[in-house]
């Protein structure tokens, strides 16, 4: 039988370098067993995606439950699923697949390797092994959900020697034992009050011998995989290289180019090379024999389930000390990864959990068992006994919560728009898209809000002949709120990557409040991303001449800022309705229950306090006029003149004096004119976009403007 590997639509083996091909032919393992033991129900294909383990794998357990049935494990390198992977994650993926393949071989099974579109690979193997059922994990990321839909369509329209197409069965491994996803509360507070019990991780099943003759294929090298992904890019993906350089590095380079002074060293980038710095953490380093990490410079645990569980054991016992070299290495990594209190677990184990090397509930179960062992079988109601246990439990429960929110959005439509999720640097980001033709528009909300703040703008703009995207920034709404340092530059990189990966063409950037400031940064640092820039009562200021631009320095937060954040959050929860009415001076009735309820709901999400804490570190020191000059495109400022947060008259005066090319429209409204007087703002936006038609310029060429 031919291997599944489908490269860009063509059948054949995954190409290997000439020196490897001869060894492949010599070493390729053919698994031959009599087919007399085959179940009449057909084979069970287990399609692995983000579940690269045998332990706690409900799909694999179900596949192995029926006696005498063939079980065919499959992994497909699909460029659509892997498109957002950094080089670091691709390397960790290959480590995990190598371990999974070895674990399967130890049971006289194997992992079939496909390369290309999943719908082609799954259809091909389903026919070749006469599959009756395909087990695969539920997904929440929109790009993967689209692939799953394509696979279902391919199977339903395919021709099968068995007659009927195989049934796809989706599985999940939830941490909590809830009865109905539809009835599950999206309020973290109410969810915790339900006191759901936790589920138990499943042991790895015993697999039957793979009883068909198959060329199982070999794993690609990292370089081969990178070449495949590069060749899979479409024309609109030529922006991908601009994601490799951080916003801070580009900003420093711009200051040097314009000979503008700053409060930080611009020549050496505080130890970073301005030209070469990337957002990837996978810088090459010396490989260490027996290490739990890919290199000396890596902070992510690599390998399969056994290595990861050993690393978790070492992490939990951080305070106990160790004589094991591998454990000591991990303990050293913890000190580097703990950039914030409790941040180390996600840094070390985030990739392993997201690749499914271990499940969330297995990690939780191991952590809680260790805590019980330390305390004679008891769990204290006053907290956990070590910082690493606290960090692990908080991170795992947070991951589970945002996965539940995303999963629930697929079965329960909330609001007027379909909610989708995109994974950015491992974090789930909520967004929506409406409209099928016309120029692209991206709407960005302000602090404390979410995409629902554009509730009366999205459809109206789409009806005027536009494709509209609205995003919920990291740290707000139903997007994840991880334990990271939030900053304007971080959010600007989020916008950059969303436009590159999801929208995949230039957009009209429209932002309110801090969202407007972030849009201005994105347009200023990456001009190719924006066709025009629209600011709705934007944060930021105009600085004449801007001969000196201070940059914020990233650093550890203090106990005082954490205390202030908790107190501020309590205050905001109790007063949110009244505060919002002050921002809507002409139409206080727009501050309705859905608006207030969603803001309060999000304030109880895991990590909400960390986001509030970022308020005390905001700098907003990059002048708007510097960003406008860097952008060089058309700019519209819509200003509610009754904004209680901004002195609108002074702000408008500075714009007219120092930003002569900016167009200004004043409205009788407060801080959120798009929601207070949506009809007026929609009319202005429609007029603006008609007079600023999309210009498709070469992305990389235009990016050189800065």
């Amino acid at each position: 039988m031919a291997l599944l590997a489908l490269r860009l639509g063509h059948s054949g083996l995954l190409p290997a370098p000439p020196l490897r091909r001869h060894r492949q032919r010599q070493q390729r393992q053919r698994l031959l067993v009599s087919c007399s033991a085959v179940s009449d129900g057909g084979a069970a294909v287990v399609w692995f995606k983000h579940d690269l383990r045998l332990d706690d794998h409900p799909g694999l357990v179900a596949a192995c439950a029926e006696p005498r049935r063939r079980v065919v494990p499959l992994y497909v390198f699909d460029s659509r699923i892997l498109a957002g992977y950094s080089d670091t994650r691709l390397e960790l993926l290959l480590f995990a697949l190598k371990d999974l393949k070895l674990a399967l071989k130890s049971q006289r099974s194997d992992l079939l390797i496909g390369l290309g579109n999943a719908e082609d690979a799954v259809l091909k193997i389903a026919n070749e092994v006469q599959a009756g059922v395909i087990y695969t994990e539920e997904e929440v990321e929109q790009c993967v959900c689209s692939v799953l839909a394509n696979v279902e369509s391919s199977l339903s329209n395919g021709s099968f020697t068995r007659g009927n197409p195989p049934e796809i069965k989706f599985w999940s491994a939830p941490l909590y034992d809830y009865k109905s996803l539809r009835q599950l509360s999206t309020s973290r507070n109410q969810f915790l009050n339900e006191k759901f019990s936790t589920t138990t991780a499943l042991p790895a099943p015993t697999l039957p011998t793979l009883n068909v003759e198959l060329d199982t294929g070999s794993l690609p090298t990292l370089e081969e995989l990178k070449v495949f992904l590069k060749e899979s890019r479409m024309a609109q993906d030529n922006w991908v290289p601009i994601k490799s350089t951080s916003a801070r590095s580009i900003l420093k380079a711009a200051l040097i180019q314009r000979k503008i002074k700053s409060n930080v060293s611009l020549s050496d980038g505080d130890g970073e090379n301005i030209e070469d710095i990337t957002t990837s953490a996978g810088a090459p380093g010396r490989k260490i024999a027996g290490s739990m990490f890919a290199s000396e410079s890596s902070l992510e645990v690599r390998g399969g389930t056994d290595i990861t569980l050993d690393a978790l054991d070492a992490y939990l016992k951080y305070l106990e000390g160790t004589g094991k070299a591998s454990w000591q290495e991990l303990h050293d990594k913890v000190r580097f990864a703990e950039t914030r209190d409790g941040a180390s677990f996600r840094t070390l184990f985030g990739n392993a959990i997201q690749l499914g090397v271990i499940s969330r509930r297995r990690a939780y179960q191991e952590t809680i068992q260790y805590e019980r062992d330390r305390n004679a079988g008891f769990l204290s109601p006053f907290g956990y006994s070590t910082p690493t246990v606290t960090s692990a439990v908080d991170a795992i429960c947070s991951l589970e919560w945002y996965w539940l929110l995303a999963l629930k959005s697929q079965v329960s439509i909330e609001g007027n728009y379909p909610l989708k999720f995109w994974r950015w640097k491992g974090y789930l980001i909520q967004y929506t898209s409406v409209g099928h033709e016309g120029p692209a528009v991206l709407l960005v909300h302000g602090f404390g809000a979410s995409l629902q703040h554009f509730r009366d703008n999205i459809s109206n703009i789409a009806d005027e002949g536009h494709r509209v995207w609205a995003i919920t920034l990291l740290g707000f709404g139903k997007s994840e709120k991880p334990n990271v340092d939030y900053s304007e530059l971080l959010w600007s990189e989020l916008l950059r990557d969303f436009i590159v990966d999801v929208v995949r063409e230039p957009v009209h950037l429209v932002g309110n409040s801090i969202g407007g400031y972030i849009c201005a940064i994105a347009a200023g640092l990456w001009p190719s991303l924006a066709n025009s820039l629209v600011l709705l009562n934007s944060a930021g200021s105009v600085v004449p001449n801007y001969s000196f631009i201070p940059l914020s320095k990233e650093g550890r937060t203090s106990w005082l800022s954490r205390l202030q954040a908790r107190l501020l959050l309590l205050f905001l929860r109790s007063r949110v309705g009244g505060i919002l009415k002050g921002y809507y001076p002409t139409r206080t009735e727009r501050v309705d229950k859905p608006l207030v309820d969603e803001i309060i709901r999000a304030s109880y999400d895991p990590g909400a306090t960390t986001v509030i804490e970022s308020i005390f570190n905001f700098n907003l020191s990059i002048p708007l006029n510097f960003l406008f000059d860097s952008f060089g495109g058309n700019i519209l400022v819509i200003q509610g003149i009754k904004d209680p947060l901004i002195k609108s008259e002074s702000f408008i005066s500075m714009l007219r004096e120092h930003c002569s090319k900016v167009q200004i429209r004043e409205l009788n409204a407060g801080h959120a004119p798009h929601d207070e007087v949506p009809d007026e703002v929609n009319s202005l936006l429609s007029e603006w976009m008609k007079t600023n038609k999309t210009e498709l310029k070469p992305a990389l060429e235009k990016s050189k403007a800065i």
Side-chain angles (χ1 to χ4, degrees):
M1 288 185 176
L3 175 66
L4 297 180
L6 303 174
R7 184 176 176 84
L8 303 178
H10 300 289
S11 296
L13 292 172
L14 172 62
L19 292 178
R20 294 181 62 209
R21 288 177 184 161
H22 178 65
R23 291 198 297 270
Q24 280 183 346
R25 285 193 291 269
Q26 287 184 324
Q27 298 175 4
R28 182 178 301 139
Q29 182 179 6
R30 293 181 179 274
L31 303 170
L32 298 168
V33 177
S34 170
C35 291
S36 61
V38 174
S39 166
D40 292 338
V45 174
V46 180
W47 175 20
F48 290 88
K49 301 188 302 297
H50 301 123
D51 50 324
L52 307 182
R53 62 185 185 271
L54 303 185
D55 174 76
D56 195 24
H57 196 297
L60 199 59
V61 170
C64 296
E66 184 176 324
R68 300 159 59 90
R69 178 163 67 180
R70 290 172 290 177
V71 176
V72 184
L74 168 68
Y75 183 85
V76 183
F77 288 95
D78 189 309
S79 61
R80 296 163 298 181
I81 296 175
L82 304 179
Y85 280 39
S86 65
D87 288 354
T88 299
R89 182 166 291 188
L90 289 176
E91 185 177 24
L92 295 172
L93 168 66
L94 292 175
F95 275 120
L97 287 170
K98 179 182 178 181
D99 187 271
L100 178 61
K101 199 170 177 68
L102 289 173
L104 288 166
K105 284 184 175 182
S106 71
Q107 297 198 42
R108 298 188 67 192
S109 183
D110 205 343
L111 181 66
L112 276 65
I113 302 299
L115 184 75
N117 289 337
E119 51 266 39
D120 297 330
V122 174
L123 177 63
K124 185 176 180 65
I125 191 59
N127 249 322
E128 291 193 350
V129 304
Q130 299 186 34
V133 62
I134 297 171
Y135 290 96
T136 195
E137 187 179 17
E138 281 185 304
E139 299 285 352
V140 296
E141 299 170 55
Q142 180 62 28
C143 65
V144 187
C145 290
S146 296
V147 171
L148 289 175
N150 290 341
V151 170
E152 289 186 283
S153 176
S154 175
L155 292 174
S156 64
N157 295 322
S159 176
F160 297 90
T161 54
R162 292 187 71 254
N164 295 326
E167 179 186 4
I168 294 186
K169 292 187 177 181
F170 296 96
W171 63 268
S172 63
L175 175 60
Y176 301 104
D177 187 18
Y178 56 86
K179 301 302 180 186
S180 170
L181 185 62
R182 289 183 181 274
Q183 297 177 4
L184 204 65
S185 174
T186 58
S187 166
R188 177 71 172 174
N189 221 22
Q190 295 179 23
F191 178 84
L192 293 177
N193 288 337
E194 293 286 343
K195 300 186 183 302
F196 292 111
S197 60
T198 55
T199 57
T200 303
L202 303 174
T206 300
L207 274 77
T209 303
L210 190 58
N211 55 3
V212 290
E213 180 181 356
L214 291 173
D215 288 332
T216 56
S218 61
L219 291 171
T221 65
L222 177 61
E223 289 306 314
E224 288 170 349
L225 184 54
K226 287 162 65 175
V227 168
F228 163 69
L229 294 175
K230 184 176 181 180
E231 291 178 351
S232 301
R233 292 177 190 165
M234 302 179 69
Q236 56 265 59
D237 296 325
N238 64 348
W239 277 347
V240 171
I242 73 173
K243 293 168 50 180
S244 64
T245 308
S246 71
R248 191 174 183 85
S249 297
I250 293 179
L251 184 56
K252 287 182 178 181
L255 296 180
I256 290 174
Q257 181 181 351
R258 299 188 187 187
K259 299 181 179 179
I260 299 172
K261 296 179 180 180
S262 184
N263 62 322
V264 298
S265 173
L266 300 178
S267 58
D268 60 8
D270 298 328
E272 301 167 342
N273 185 315
I274 291 176
E275 298 297 327
D276 298 332
I277 185 171
T278 66
T279 55
S280 169
R286 179 173 63 86
K287 295 292 192 298
I288 302 172
S291 172
M292 298 173 178
F293 301 87
S295 69
E296 282 186 322
S297 58
S298 299
L299 287 178
E300 299 89 358
V301 171
R302 60 92 177 165
T305 303
D306 290 342
I307 291 177
T308 305
L309 287 175
D310 187 43
L312 177 60
D313 195 19
Y315 177 80
L316 295 174
K317 296 176 180 177
Y318 174 74
L319 295 181
E320 297 181 17
T322 179
K324 296 173 63 175
S326 60
W327 281 34
Q328 183 58 56
E329 181 194 16
L330 185 135
H331 291 176
D332 292 339
K333 300 283 188 180
V334 171
R335 289 187 279 274
F336 283 104
E338 193 75 357
T339 55
R340 295 177 52 87
D341 290 344
S344 56
F345 180 87
R346 185 75 180 257
T347 300
L348 294 169
F349 297 97
N351 275 300
I353 290 177
Q354 285 153 25
L355 290 172
V357 174
I358 59 172
S359 65
R360 292 184 296 273
R361 66 183 182 187
R362 171 65 72 191
Y364 181 84
Q365 183 174 307
E366 294 293 322
T367 302
I368 293 300
Q369 185 59 51
Y370 170 73
E371 179 70 6
R372 290 185 186 277
D373 291 344
R374 279 181 57 88
N375 296 282
F378 295 99
L379 293 178
S380 170
F382 303 107
Y384 298 106
S385 61
T386 73
T388 50
V389 171
T390 301
S391 175
V393 171
D394 287 349
I396 295 164
C397 292
S398 178
L399 285 166
E400 183 75 10
W401 175 248
Y402 290 107
W403 177 78
L404 281 174
L405 288 181
L407 192 63
K408 182 176 171 63
S409 72
Q410 296 181 354
V411 300
S412 302
I413 298 178
E414 300 175 12
N416 301 323
Y417 316 108
L419 297 182
K420 305 173 184 179
F421 286 84
W422 163 65
R423 193 174 290 281
W424 180 69
K425 297 186 177 182
Y427 309 123
L428 287 172
I429 304 297
Q430 177 194 43
Y431 74 98
T432 191
S433 59
V434 178
H436 302 288
E437 60 182 6
V441 181
L442 176 58
L443 306 176
V444 185
H445 62 84
F447 196 93
S450 65
L451 64 82
Q452 281 89 346
H453 206 199
F454 293 100
R455 52 189 172 172
D456 290 328
N457 309 109
I458 296 173
S459 292
N460 186 285
I461 298 171
D463 291 343
E464 291 293 322
H466 296 86
R467 285 168 300 132
V468 181
W469 280 264
I471 187 174
T472 297
L473 296 171
L474 185 75
F476 302 105
K478 292 188 174 72
S479 290
E480 277 197 63
K481 302 168 183 64
N483 188 7
V484 299
D485 290 317
Y486 293 88
S487 70
E488 310 89 293
L489 294 183
L490 175 73
W491 284 316
S492 71
E493 290 175 355
L494 168 64
L495 292 190
R496 173 199 65 192
D497 294 354
F498 183 80
I499 297 170
V500 171
D501 291 344
V502 180
V503 183
R504 302 172 70 191
E505 66 178 81
V507 300
H508 294 284
L509 271 171
V510 181
N512 169 237
S513 189
I514 188 69
Y517 188 65
I518 296 163
C519 285
I521 294 175
L525 299 186
W526 301 282
S528 63
L529 301 180
N531 284 313
S532 74
L533 177 63
V534 180
L535 305 184
L536 303 161
N537 284 67
S538 177
S541 59
V542 176
V543 178
N545 302 320
Y546 53 77
S547 58
F548 178 85
I549 296 179
L551 299 181
S552 59
K553 293 185 178 181
E554 297 179 1
R556 292 179 178 268
T557 55
S558 66
W559 67 268
L560 179 59
S561 62
R562 291 193 291 273
L563 176 60
Q564 289 173 323
R566 290 185 176 92
L567 294 175
L568 179 58
L569 191 59
L570 290 173
F571 172 77
L572 292 175
R573 284 174 186 159
S574 64
R575 299 287 301 277
V576 62
I579 293 171
L580 285 176
K581 287 182 179 180
Y583 297 163
Y584 289 65
T586 67
R587 296 186 65 190
T588 56
E589 71 275 8
R590 293 287 295 171
V591 181
D592 54 16
K593 190 175 186 299
L595 178 64
V596 173
D597 285 352
E598 173 54 22
I599 292 174
I600 294 177
R601 185 212 65 76
S603 75
Y604 286 100
D605 281 345
T609 304
T610 303
V611 184
I612 294 294
E613 190 180 331
S614 67
I615 292 177
F616 303 104
N617 297 319
F618 279 169
N619 197 312
L620 309 185
S621 60
I622 309 171
L624 286 173
N625 45 328
F626 168 82
L627 297 170
F628 294 166
D629 292 342
S630 300
F631 172 47
N634 295 331
I635 302 168
L636 172 65
V637 171
I638 299 176
Q639 190 71 19
I641 59 174
K642 293 185 177 181
D643 188 341
L645 296 180
I646 300 172
K647 296 180 180 179
S648 293
E649 291 185 4
S650 175
F651 178 65
I652 292 172
S653 175
M654 292 292 285
L655 283 174
R656 286 176 174 153
E657 182 177 355
H658 301 284
C659 309
S660 58
K661 295 182 180 180
V662 173
Q663 297 189 41
I664 302 170
R665 298 291 184 272
E666 300 178 41
L667 295 179
N668 184 32
H671 189 63
H674 61 286
D675 194 43
E676 186 176 1
V677 287
D679 291 341
E680 293 182 50
V681 171
N682 291 339
S683 178
L684 288 174
L685 291 176
S686 177
E687 178 187 351
W688 173 258
M689 292 169 193
K690 286 178 182 177
T691 58
N692 289 272
K693 295 183 179 179
T694 302
E695 297 181 16
L696 295 174
K697 298 181 180 180
L700 294 178
E701 182 178 318
K702 192 179 177 188
S703 291
K704 295 177 182 178
I706 194 165

